[in-house]
Amino acid sequence: MHSLTVIRRYTRTNLSKELAKEICERGIYGKVVVVTDKPAALLSVTKKQMARLARRLQRERSSTLNAVKISELTQQIAWMQSLSFSAKEPEELLESSVTFGTADTFTRIPPLCSTVYVTYKFDTLKLHMLTSWMQEGGRVIIYERD
């Protein structure tokens, strides 16, 4: 993998909750891909976690009097609500902000993205193929179960 940062994480808790937090942190750098064996199911629960995070930020915004903090939270909430999610196989290019799919999907249609989250084990050759078109300086986060 060319000039990519590879991070291994061990997850003991709710994977969708961790993904939602990560997407909020890394999504500002560009498109995000989540490689999973069950794209539709993980998409559904991750979107629910994103909605929970947005509601928490809205509560935080309504309880503060600091104008700068209110502005920052308003922008972050608006950005989170503008994200588009997809679990269907892309035709040519990734159109959604966050795309969920299998390793086979992303080896046929290489993702042009800044961040890839890998949630299950598959052949290393496929991992190299699907990361070959990533942006320079991109990040690959591999989740492993304890």
Side-chain angles (χ1 to χ4, degrees):
M1 289 181 263
H2 56 89
S3 66
L4 299 175
T5 304
V6 179
I7 301 169
R8 294 192 183 278
R9 295 219 171 113
Y10 297 95
T11 180
R12 293 185 192 110
T13 60
N14 188 346
L15 177 61
S16 61
K17 191 174 185 177
E18 288 185 36
L19 281 174
K21 287 179 186 178
E22 285 281 335
I23 290 168
C24 286
E25 291 174 14
R26 289 287 305 168
I28 59 172
Y29 297 109
K31 293 186 186 273
V32 173
V33 164
V34 180
V35 184
T36 178
D37 53 346
K38 298 174 186 162
L42 189 57
L43 165 70
S44 175
V45 294
T46 303
K47 278 182 74 172
K48 285 180 185 177
Q49 291 295 334
M50 292 289 288
R52 285 181 180 162
L53 282 173
R55 282 193 303 274
R56 192 186 81 211
L57 290 175
Q58 288 170 341
R59 282 192 304 271
E60 185 180 339
R61 180 183 65 188
S62 67
S63 68
T64 187
L65 298 175
N66 183 339
V68 174
K69 184 74 169 172
I70 290 172
S71 176
E72 289 173 356
L73 290 170
T74 301
Q75 289 176 0
Q76 187 173 5
I77 292 165
W79 175 80
M80 288 173 67
Q81 292 172 339
S82 73
L83 288 174
S84 58
F85 293 81
S86 176
K88 68 177 193 167
E89 193 167 314
E91 304 260 333
E92 291 178 12
L93 296 173
L94 301 180
E95 296 174 8
S96 299
S97 307
V98 182
T99 306
F100 290 72
T102 63
D104 292 332
T105 299
F106 295 122
T107 53
R108 283 193 302 277
I109 300 162
L112 297 169
C113 61
S114 62
T115 309
V116 171
Y117 297 99
V118 177
T119 64
Y120 75 109
K121 289 189 179 212
F122 54 88
D123 186 35
T124 306
L125 181 60
K126 284 184 184 179
L127 181 62
H128 285 286
M129 289 173 60
L130 73 89
T131 58
S132 63
W133 289 91
M134 284 183 66
Q135 298 172 3
E136 192 171 314
R139 192 175 276 185
V140 179
I141 294 116
I142 301 171
Y143 284 99
E144 296 176 354
R145 305 264 180 202
D146 280 345

